[in-house]
Amino acid sequence: MTNSTETQNLLTIRGLRIEGKSGDHWNEIVHGVDLDLKRGEVLGLIGESGAGKSTIGLAAMGFTRDGCRISSGTIDFDGIDLVNATQKVRRGLRGHRIAYVAQSAAASFNPAHKLIDQYCESPIVHGVMSRDQAEKDAVDLYRRLHLPNPEDIGFRYPHQVSGGQLQRAMTAMAMASKPDLIIFDEPTTALDVTTQIEVLSAIRDVVREFHTAAIYITHDLAVVAQMADRVKVLLKGEEVEESDTRSMLNDPKEDYTKSLWAVRSFHAEPKADVSQACTPVVSIKNVTAAYGKVPVLHDVSFNIHKGRTVAVVGESGSGKSTTARVITGLLPASKGEICFNGKVMPGSYKQRSKDQLRQAQMIYQMADTALNPKQTIGEIIGRPVQFYLGLRGKDRLERVRALLDEIELEPDLYINRLPSELSGGQKQRIGIARALAAEPEFIICDEVTSALDQLVAEGILKLLSKVQKDFGLAYMFITHDLATVRAIADEVVVMQQGKVVEAGPKDIMFTPPHHAYTDLLLSSIPEMDPDWLDKLLKQREEAGQ
Amino acid sequence: MKLLKTAPVSAWFGMIVILVYVVLMLFAPILAPYGETEIVAYEFEPWSETYLLGTDNLGRDMLSRLIYAARNTMGVALITTILAFAVGGFMGLLAATLGGWVDQIFSRAIDVLMAIPSLIFALLLLTIFGTSLGNLIVVIALLDATRVYRLTRAVAMNIVVMDYVEAARLRGEGLMWQIRKEILPNIMAPLVAEFGLRFCFVFLMISALSFLGLGIQPPTADWGSMVRDNASLITFGDITPLLPAGAIALLTVAVNFVVDWMLHQSSGLKE
Amino acid sequence: MHPLARMVLQRLGLGLVTLFVVSIIIFSAVELLPGDITQQILGQAATPETVAAFRKELGLDRPPVERYFDWLGGVMTGDFGKSLANQREISDLISGRFGNTLFLAGYAAVIAIPLSVMLGLLAALYRNSFFDRFINMATLSSISFPEFFVAYILIVFLAVRAQMFPAISSLNDDMTLLDMFYRAFLPALTLTLVVTAHMMRMTRAAIINLLASPYIEMARLKGMSQARVIVKHALPNALAPIINVIALNLAYLVTGVVLVEVVFVYPGLGQLLVDSVANRDITVVQASCLIFAGVYILLNLLADILSIATNPRLMHRK
């Protein structure tokens, strides 16, 4: 055994280069990254998709996925050279001294075995402890992680346990052999915000108590602010900068890091209040809807006025997307009605006239699936121009070019490209142009920025508020991101389990007192303040007593 | 065409073989030394300079008949496959795009038809309608259309759920526009691969039926029936009857190699 | 009710309905016959009197629905009616031959199943190795061969040249079991070769699919050995897809026998079917088709039910 002290590195990575195979040749995806981690320290790895976070995290276990290889560099774990160690040595470390928590616990637990059996596997196989001891430990860990029925929950199968609980059970499994290091690979990304809080605080407490070192991988700045002692920012396989969490948040050095932080500063200009008396563009009146026999919306009502943005917030299953489907006519309401400019619309899109369809357009979350990959940009934007406005040939081309100008893409450069030749943000702009091409009065924006990297998302928000001003559009903005709501909304509608919990102008909605659920939801959304989680937990504890 | 350069040996082999077969099919009358049904000598002449591969059970030149059979067997298989794709593909696209009861009715009906093994079903139908060439093509095309339907529906379903199809619907586009512009271009790759595989199945099925004496009827030259007609030679250890069987095998192997490579191309990047 | 039991019952019900509909199709296929069946059988020269008499004998003067239920009732009790060609009871014609066909298919299955599952597992585990590529090529070629091609190659080499096995697989009642195995060896081998390729490819694909699951990566990241990953983590989940592959291929085997039986003159149901088709002996064709379809549906049903029953997510209810 090594005589480790607090100052000695547990993990040292130098000049790590990793290649991935695409087709017949190898492309470098990690370009010489250094990493130091001391015992008991939590390092946040943060970056956009494609930054190489997970690849580096796995490499810290001496593991590469199929089709990847370490081409050069050293990985030293407590004096063991992981790059050159035999398979047997590496296997002996994994699950014993280095453990892993995956993003999707539901997929990463074996469906054929009970949780407790999967928990006990590592400690028994690695000869750390007996089955009895492991089971006792498991119950203790389950309790520390605030799992319900810690005595019994281990005897369930993975599909019998909820997502948030599974994620905690997976953390427990990682702790089973009392490892020195745990790699957390986006453990809360798939969870709802209110569940995320519980998992975050559980993970943090356990890691602190056992003095376990951890690498915490995420793309969410606010989350990493709560979890990490130090933060390393990655971009396309290279390190941008690294420093302790507080100074990183208060004083980022590199432009790229600053740009990540800057996103939160955008705010649309406040608008003059409209008189509630004038006819709203869209009016949802007492809508109830169901998928088959499963009711999903109950008595939902709200209005959207010309030139204003209504943000609809809620967790998955709250009915916010279903509301959009009812408005567009994809899911006809079983009770209640949808009015455009005061006129009742037919329930199904099939019965609506071309002009009625034109008035309401939609922008989708995933620009990848929203644009036909086999059509050029010119065709995608040109179709609604021709279909609704009857423009052809030269007129149509002129209109498409004007729209491309409107979304700030050079027409000559883009009009003949396919969607696959555009970046994510550019695709989303095309989605906006396609909606604008119909010259609508109302646009539904369904999580339009949540799949985008933050800087790009800001550009989209700015564009959306510019075209709103230019054309006097009404927006329904579906989102779960509070920062986005703050940035762009005029009014907020909070939904939970198919009902509108609370609705009103943004200023009022962000000022307490709230409805209990609004409060829970708003307070659960992580903030950039590293003390946010502590404050919140304390607040909730006090409120609970 | 950068793709072609990276093609493995097997795919190259397949493409060359297919090319040779197509040439045989197009230029059969020029390439064949004798006529298709011309009786040129005694029965079962051995291989010689005048009759390179000998003669068959009626004294017709084996090589010439092999070459003409390329045209007949492949031609029939091709027409049948195209018909199967026209019917099955269109129904599959309709079911996927319309959904609801159209999909239910089509799918349940196809389920029942597919519950009967296709060779057996073909035998039943050919017994009833007789073994004319037209019947053969229609019966096999319809049986294979069920398989084409399944695949087309499945791949089209993956496209129908895409937001751009929803966007087209909400725009008010008609059914045919959705199928033609939004769905079909995005499922061409798997459909082309399936066309290759289906062609093999149809080709083997026709050969099997001909071998059983229920497919392409004499005196038309056809590989399956040529095996049957000359099978008695095999008991003497003569491999001549294996040549038409080998011709069938070689073509299906070639098509399979090419399709395997194509499928690998379209899905391989993920692996 | 346990959800598993309910699903199994649902599938059983669905299978029965399918079988019923298939029987209707097979029965009514004859009704679609262009021209009159009696005319077909008796030929153009038959007098109207003989035609009428024959129609009455066949019961063709009664409404189709009534005849269908008569026929179905007969089938249920093992009475398939009489052959039009030789007036013999169809059940007598079929019973022995059906047994022979099952013997042949079973013979091939006993060799093919363990062989192909093992090869498939190996190919999946050593994916992209030389072994895997070789197996891929070999099986791809093998599924491209017409059954009769494989059969004749075996005859040329193993029966005619090497004289090891008989080229004609006639069976009779007083053969010993060993004798039957010997005589049916070549047809069984032909079927084995053809079906093994299919089954192996499907097994390989199923296992590769499974090995890509996040929980397999998780097992590796827990430091489990390759053997333990396979035995403890992959196999319990692989059971369902493998069983499915086996049952599907058994169904394929049952119809694959038709050609092989003809090549080897093996006295099975397939041979009878082909002969009856040639003679247009419609009642025998109907009966054979119904039996083949029945076995086929049954095996597919079995595949369906077993893969539900071995799915861990369904076994342990919420």
Side-chain angles (χ1 to χ4, degrees), chain A residues 324-381:
Chain A
R325 290 174 68 82
V326 172
I327 296 174
T328 56
L330 282 169
L331 179 72
S334 50
K335 268 188 225 145
E337 55 196 24
I338 305 292
C339 297
F340 279 16
N341 291 319
K343 292 197 192 81
V344 180
M345 298 281 275
S348 163
Y349 73 96
K350 289 173 189 162
Q351 273 123 40
R352 294 185 187 173
S353 71
K354 209 186 233 191
D355 200 55
Q356 287 171 327
L357 290 170
R358 185 185 62 76
Q359 287 171 1
Q361 292 294 311
M362 179 126 182
I363 305 172
Y364 295 88
Q365 173 177 11
M366 307 296 292
D368 276 325
T369 61
L371 306 180
N372 188 332
K374 301 287 179 185
Q375 292 177 359
T376 64
I377 303 311
E379 290 173 301
I380 291 172
I381 304 176

Side-chain angles (χ1 to χ4, degrees), chain C residues 143-162:
Chain C
I143 56 173
S144 310
F145 287 1
E147 283 99 339
F148 54 85
F149 184 47
V150 178
Y152 280 128
I153 291 180
L154 291 180
I155 290 182
V156 168
F157 290 103
L158 295 182
V160 180
R161 301 221 168 141

Side-chain angles (χ1 to χ4, degrees), chain A residues 214-230:
Chain A
I215 293 179
Y216 197 97
I217 298 167
T218 178
H219 67 278
D220 190 332
L221 292 160
V223 165
V224 86
Q226 313 313 315
M227 306 303 286
D229 304 317
R230 272 188 305 136

Side-chain angles (χ1 to χ4, degrees), chain B residues 88-179:
Chain B
F90 185 64
M91 284 177 68
L93 281 167
L94 276 187
T97 317
L98 288 172
W101 60 267
V102 177
D103 183 27
Q104 284 300 317
I105 290 177
F106 281 5
S107 296
R108 291 296 81 75
I110 299 274
D111 278 351
V112 171
L113 290 183
M114 285 183 72
I116 309 174
S118 54
L119 182 68
I120 307 293
F121 207 176
L123 286 175
L124 176 70
L125 292 177
L126 289 174
T127 319
I128 293 160
F129 296 111
T131 50
S132 75
L133 194 59
N135 283 345
L136 184 71
I137 291 176
V138 170
V139 163
I140 298 182
L142 289 185
L143 290 181
D144 257 80
T146 57
R147 273 77 181 169
V148 177
Y149 169 88
R150 274 269 177 98
L151 180 96
T152 312
R153 181 181 170 278
V155 290
M157 278 296 197
N158 290 336
I159 302 298
V160 166
V161 296
M162 293 281 168
D163 293 335
Y164 58 83
V165 179
E166 185 183 303
R169 281 186 182 175
L170 289 180
R171 191 159 61 227
E173 300 284 4
L175 177 67
M176 288 318 287
W177 202 92
Q178 290 175 37
I179 289 180

Side-chain angles (χ1 to χ4, degrees), chain A residues 266-271 465 468 486-490 506:
Chain A
F266 170 77
H267 282 275
E269 292 168 38
K271 294 157 202 153
S465 81
Q468 179 169 45
R486 283 212 177 99
I488 201 162
D490 300 307
K506 176 171 71 174

Side-chain angles (χ1 to χ4, degrees), chain A residues 12 35 59 147 162 185 191 199 240 276 299 339 429 524 535:
Chain A
T12 313
L35 187 151
L147 280 165
S162 77
D185 194 350
L191 303 176
V199 177
V240 178
Q276 294 295 319
D299 198 23
C339 297
R429 281 167 190 265
S524 296
K535 284 184 201 156

Side-chain angles (χ1 to χ4, degrees), chain C residues 103-183:
Chain C
F103 171 73
L104 180 58
Y107 190 176
V110 167
I111 311 174
I113 291 173
L115 186 70
S116 49
V117 168
M118 213 171 64
L119 286 176
L121 273 172
L122 285 177
L125 290 183
Y126 298 99
R127 184 155 53 120
N128 294 332
S129 66
F130 175 75
F131 170 74
D132 181 34
R133 278 161 209 258
F134 174 76
I135 286 272
N136 181 41
M137 287 283 187
T139 52
L140 199 56
S141 306
S142 166
I143 56 173
S144 310
F145 287 1
E147 283 99 339
F148 54 85
F149 184 47
V150 178
Y152 280 128
I153 291 180
L154 291 180
I155 290 182
V156 168
F157 290 103
L158 295 182
V160 180
R161 301 221 168 141
Q163 304 257 330
M164 285 159 71
F165 296 96
I168 290 186
S169 314
S170 51
L171 300 181
N172 57 49
D173 288 343
D174 31 66
M175 271 181 183
T176 65
L177 195 63
L178 203 67
D179 240 15
M180 279 171 71
F181 275 119
Y182 172 70
R183 294 229 140 223

